[in-house]
Amino acid sequence: MEEMVEQIELLIEQDNAVQLKKYLNSLNISDVAELIDELPEHGPRLIETISLNRSVNVFRILDFPTQERILKKLSGKRVAELINELPPDDRTSLFSELHGDTVNALILHLSPDDRKEALSLLGYKEDSVGRLMTPDYVAVKQAWDVTRVLSHIRRYGKNSETIDVIYVVDENGVLLDDIRIRDILLVKPETKVTDLMDGRMISLNVTDPQEEAINIFRMNNRVALPVTDDANILLGIVTVDDILWLANEEYTEDIQKIGGTEALDEPYLDIKLTRLVRKRVGWLVILFISEMLTSSAMQYFNDIISIIVPLTFFIPLIMSSGGNSGSQASTLIIQAMALGEITVADWWRVMRREILSGLLLGAILGTIGFFRIFAWSMFSNIYGEHWLLVAFTVGLSLIGIVLWGSLAGSMLPIVMKKLKLDPATSSAPFVATLVDVTGLIIYFSTALVVMHDVIKNAQHAIK
């Protein structure tokens, strides 16, 4: 890449347009896109220089901020050419990200039919399958033979998003089946379409959530899926390349939310500092205020702390163990739900597993904590004369806190899903904060039970 960057910079410096075009047209589409990322100030010129077909293919794989920046600096002619040549689904994706005034200006570049099509696609809900689909597909009738089908493909296939799959519709446009192109190519010319139909069709509804489309593609070996309305009228198709882009966006968004921030919606280095702060400050303030409850919990148990001072040594250990177990559980469940491995209906199975795993994990950590205090007490008096009771308190507390953390971390995403909210918002920092506060309550409550006589005697002595 470094070599290519140097070559491009040299050709631009020499103002050698002919050689620049020749060199760019010899590169892969992905290489040109990387060059635009490496040389953002020259991006518009590179798009202007390469052939229209290649510029469209490069433009459609760029991230939105780069697309927007390039559009602002392109000539009016190239903007019109790009907008007209972009596939309908990519054009809809671009328009949905741009400001209304910009979209209105760009739509004017489209032909009347394309304009109507663009407005129709934009009319679907933002996160619906309708926003992903393209109306460019090949449809045939069940009464046709293979010879006629192939003739139809030659005539209209060039404008289709893909010809890997052919769709069978009736005279009213109702979807009947889909047929892979290889099944058509490997039979005799006189074979009827109806003889190739097997009825094993999978389709998406135009109002389905986009996340559902990701799961359906994941579970089925398809390069494209048809999109229908409630009457099963074929409206368009969604192709796997769009699903891959969408899955990447969803994954990135979930990771950011799990980290305790709002989705950035654009690359980290491109987002303005003020927007970056706004995206992060909300959760930080909520978590900060929530953590204040920790000090309230400690104040409530101030008498115990003043009597059994060694208990304070293990507060960071207790808080981090509960938070870590909760964060682990929430991350595992959020990921499992995103992959479709877990649904809301599986809540009891999840709870049962987390109760068992929480008890086992807590027992392991509790045992380590107990023997750590035991070992230290053999060589020093740092934990006082009641070190054994302190050890039991820490050991038993860890069992309860890790169990509670596992339950909270696993159940919160399921509850969020049940409330039709994004499970990723029950992020690891949120779970950790919740378990920190409740963990202290469990810890000191355990101390009250285990060290009851010691605390009672100390209080009498003070009086």
Side-chain angles (χ1 to χ4, degrees):
M1 177 51 65
E2 190 176 336
E3 243 179 71
M4 287 191 286
V5 170
E6 290 176 359
Q7 182 66 25
I8 291 294
E9 288 180 325
L10 178 62
L11 292 172
I12 290 175
E13 186 180 337
Q14 294 174 348
D15 199 23
N16 192 336
V18 175
Q19 284 300 317
L20 178 62
K21 183 173 184 177
K22 184 178 179 181
Y23 181 72
L24 287 172
N25 284 334
S26 69
L27 300 176
N28 292 324
I29 295 297
S30 57
D31 291 333
V32 180
E34 284 189 48
L35 282 171
I36 291 175
D37 287 337
E38 292 288 331
L39 303 167
E41 70 278 13
H42 298 306
R45 178 164 184 179
L46 300 187
I47 291 292
E48 291 270 11
T49 301
I50 57 180
S51 64
L52 177 59
N53 182 56
R54 285 172 62 78
S55 68
V56 168
N57 288 323
V58 170
F59 186 82
R60 64 189 297 214
I61 64 173
L62 298 174
D63 57 61
F64 170 69
T66 305
Q67 290 178 331
E68 186 177 30
R69 188 168 58 244
I70 286 174
L71 280 176
K72 289 177 180 177
K73 296 184 178 180
L74 284 180
S75 65
K77 180 184 177 184
R78 181 45 66 107
V79 168
E81 291 172 338
L82 268 179
I83 296 303
N84 275 282
E85 292 298 319
L86 272 176
D89 51 342
D90 292 308
R91 190 163 55 213
T92 303
S93 177
L94 174 64
F95 284 176
S96 63
E97 296 284 353
L98 292 168
H99 295 296
D101 292 341
T102 307
V103 174
N104 291 336
L106 292 176
I107 281 180
L108 294 176
H109 291 296
L110 299 174
S111 66
D113 287 343
D114 286 343
R115 192 179 308 163
K116 183 178 178 181
E117 177 183 87
L119 292 172
S120 174
L121 292 175
L122 285 170
Y124 293 110
K125 191 177 176 182
E126 186 175 354
D127 295 324
S128 68
V129 167
R131 284 292 188 96
L132 288 177
M133 74 175 182
T134 173
D136 294 338
Y137 57 87
V138 175
V140 299
K141 302 293 176 62
Q142 59 181 334
W144 293 4
D145 59 21
V146 167
T147 300
R148 185 172 179 183
V149 169
L150 292 175
S151 175
H152 186 74
I153 293 172
R154 292 188 195 100
R155 185 174 181 183
Y156 297 104
K158 185 177 180 181
N159 297 322
S160 175
E161 182 84 1
T162 178
I163 58 170
D164 290 343
V165 184
I166 309 302
Y167 301 93
V168 185
V169 296
D170 66 12
E171 59 276 2
N172 296 316
V174 174
L175 179 65
L176 301 175
D177 206 349
D178 55 5
I179 304 173
R180 299 184 187 226
I181 189 66
R182 69 180 181 188
D183 295 333
I184 294 172
L185 296 176
L186 296 176
V187 297
K188 296 178 180 180
E190 61 271 16
T191 304
K192 298 289 185 182
V193 169
T194 188
D195 296 328
L196 299 175
M197 295 167 59
D198 57 16
R200 295 197 300 269
M201 179 185 62
I202 301 168
S203 63
L204 303 169
N205 188 282
V206 71
T207 59
D208 283 344
Q210 292 179 356
E211 285 188 12
E212 189 173 319
I214 295 175
N215 291 329
I216 293 174
F217 266 90
R218 184 184 290 118
M219 299 301 293
N220 298 277
N221 184 26
R222 298 298 180 102
V223 297
L225 282 175
V227 180
T228 64
D229 62 11
D230 293 335
N232 207 36
I233 302 294
L234 181 59
L235 302 176
I237 62 171
V238 173
T239 51
V240 70
D241 59 321
D242 294 317
I243 292 298
L244 290 173
W245 277 99
L246 176 64
N248 181 63
E249 288 179 359
E250 291 289 334
Y251 173 76
T252 302
E253 183 178 309
D254 284 348
I255 290 298
Q256 289 168 350
K257 287 181 177 178
I258 288 172
T261 182
E262 293 181 37
L264 299 185
D265 302 325
E266 55 186 298
Y268 174 81
L269 292 177
D270 289 337
I271 191 171
K272 291 181 180 178
L273 181 60
T274 52
R275 279 199 77 209
L276 180 62
V277 171
R278 283 202 303 271
K279 292 283 187 180
R280 296 171 64 177
V281 72
W283 270 112
L284 282 178
V285 169
I286 292 171
L287 295 174
F288 178 75
I289 293 172
S290 301
E291 284 287 5
M292 287 180 178
L293 296 174
T294 303
S295 61
S296 299
M298 292 183 67
Q299 289 169 12
Y300 183 80
F301 292 102
N302 185 55
D303 291 345
I304 300 176
I305 294 172
S306 61
I307 294 170
I308 314 294
V309 175
L311 289 175
T312 60
F313 302 163
F314 299 97
I315 289 175
L317 172 72
I318 293 295
M319 292 173 65
S320 63
S321 297
N324 290 341
S325 65
S327 300
Q328 274 189 344
S330 68
T331 302
L332 289 172
I333 299 303
I334 290 169
Q335 179 69 0
M337 293 179 78
L339 295 175
E341 298 171 355
I342 292 175
T343 64
V344 173
D346 296 316
W347 70 270
W348 172 242
R349 293 176 61 196
V350 173
M351 178 179 281
R352 190 171 55 199
R353 288 175 68 88
E354 287 302 318
I355 289 173
L356 294 174
S357 61
L359 284 172
L360 289 171
L361 291 169
I364 292 169
L365 295 185
T367 302
I368 294 172
F370 178 89
F371 281 107
R372 191 268 192 197
I373 296 172
F374 178 85
W376 257 248
S377 298
M378 295 296 99
F379 303 99
S380 71
N381 194 36
I382 188 173
Y383 301 124
E385 59 180 309
H386 304 296
W387 63 267
L388 187 59
L389 293 178
V390 172
F392 274 113
T393 298
V394 171
L396 292 173
S397 296
L398 281 169
I399 295 174
I401 289 165
V402 172
L403 171 60
W404 166 242
S406 298
L407 282 173
S410 61
M411 290 296 105
L412 266 176
I414 294 176
V415 171
M416 298 293 281
K417 186 72 173 178
K418 179 67 176 177
L419 297 174
K420 300 190 183 304
L421 300 173
D422 189 348
T425 54
S426 57
S427 57
F430 179 76
V431 171
T433 303
L434 172 66
V435 177
D436 283 350
V437 178
T438 52
L440 283 177
I441 296 173
I442 293 172
Y443 179 45
F444 288 117
S445 297
T446 304
L448 275 172
V449 174
V450 175
M451 309 187 74
H452 177 266
D453 291 340
V454 175
I455 295 169
K456 191 175 182 180
N457 292 334
Q459 287 174 336
H460 280 306
I462 293 170
K463 291 178 181 178

